[in-house]
Amino acid sequence: MEPDSSEDDGTAPQARARARPIRSTVALDGDGSCIAEARQLAAMFLVRARTEYGLPVSARAMDLTQLVVSELVTNARKYAPGPVLMDLRIVDALVEVEVWDSDPVLPVARAADAQRVGQHGLEIVRAVSRGFEAQREPVGKRITARIALTDGPDTDVTGGGPLRT
């Protein structure tokens, strides 16, 4: 999995990143090791965005992206047979994590329940993401979460959105 790259044409890395999207797509086989593989690939993608394109990527963005990837790929593996597709893109100051699986049923956040063990993945993803979408596809569904690349003064402690006071 490697993001699109451009040859050294003398332009600044950030200008190249805006002119040519930084993107990486991978097909995961859906076995038990695909979750760890997806987390590792997401981390490598963000390291390359930082080193090759000069984009700022905070430690929080790195951690939250790996968390979101882990939750989305885990759900895809748990509820849908077959492979999982993961697409990572840098869009403006966000990393978009998109996961496709073969199950057309859209995820639904459950009511808060402190006694419930597990099944909090969607709640977690929505809490730490700047944006979240779930849409049916001709085959299966596509889940997209957007995470801020940097920590700004208008970001709450989870990195999920504007600070609410």
Side-chain angles (χ1 to χ4, degrees):
M1 173 182 98
E2 295 189 16
D4 293 338
S5 61
S6 58
E7 295 181 25
D8 188 7
D9 57 5
T11 58
Q14 290 173 329
R16 283 197 314 265
R18 281 189 298 274
R20 204 180 151 118
I22 304 170
R23 183 176 193 171
S24 182
T25 301
V26 64
L28 303 163
D29 62 14
D31 71 5
S33 67
C34 76
I35 300 162
E37 178 186 1
R39 278 193 310 264
Q40 181 181 26
L41 292 169
M44 290 171 21
F45 174 78
L46 290 177
V47 167
R48 291 194 66 184
R50 183 172 41 214
T51 58
E52 292 182 20
Y53 292 89
L55 297 176
V57 178
S58 71
R60 177 183 290 154
M62 182 73 74
D63 291 343
L64 292 179
T65 300
Q66 290 179 80
L67 173 63
V68 166
V69 162
S70 181
E71 292 295 337
L72 294 181
V73 172
T74 296
N75 284 348
R77 183 176 175 273
K78 183 176 180 181
Y79 296 109
V84 175
L85 299 177
M86 181 175 73
D87 188 45
L88 304 168
R89 289 183 300 272
I90 303 293
V91 178
D92 298 322
L94 303 170
V95 58
E96 284 189 352
V97 176
E98 194 171 81
V99 173
W100 173 89
D101 68 51
S102 64
D103 183 8
V105 177
L106 297 178
V108 177
R110 299 179 73 182
D113 179 359
Q115 302 302 315
R116 185 174 73 234
V117 176
Q119 298 187 342
H120 295 280
L122 183 56
E123 295 170 61
I124 292 167
V125 170
R126 291 180 71 157
V128 303
S129 298
R130 285 283 176 103
F132 176 85
E133 294 173 32
Q135 62 188 52
R136 282 191 184 90
E137 295 288 322
V139 175
K141 69 179 166 294
R142 184 174 310 275
I143 308 296
T144 306
R146 294 170 188 86
I147 300 116
L149 287 174
T150 60
D151 308 332
D154 65 340
T155 303
D156 68 21
V157 294
T158 63
L163 182 61
R164 293 173 187 88
T165 54

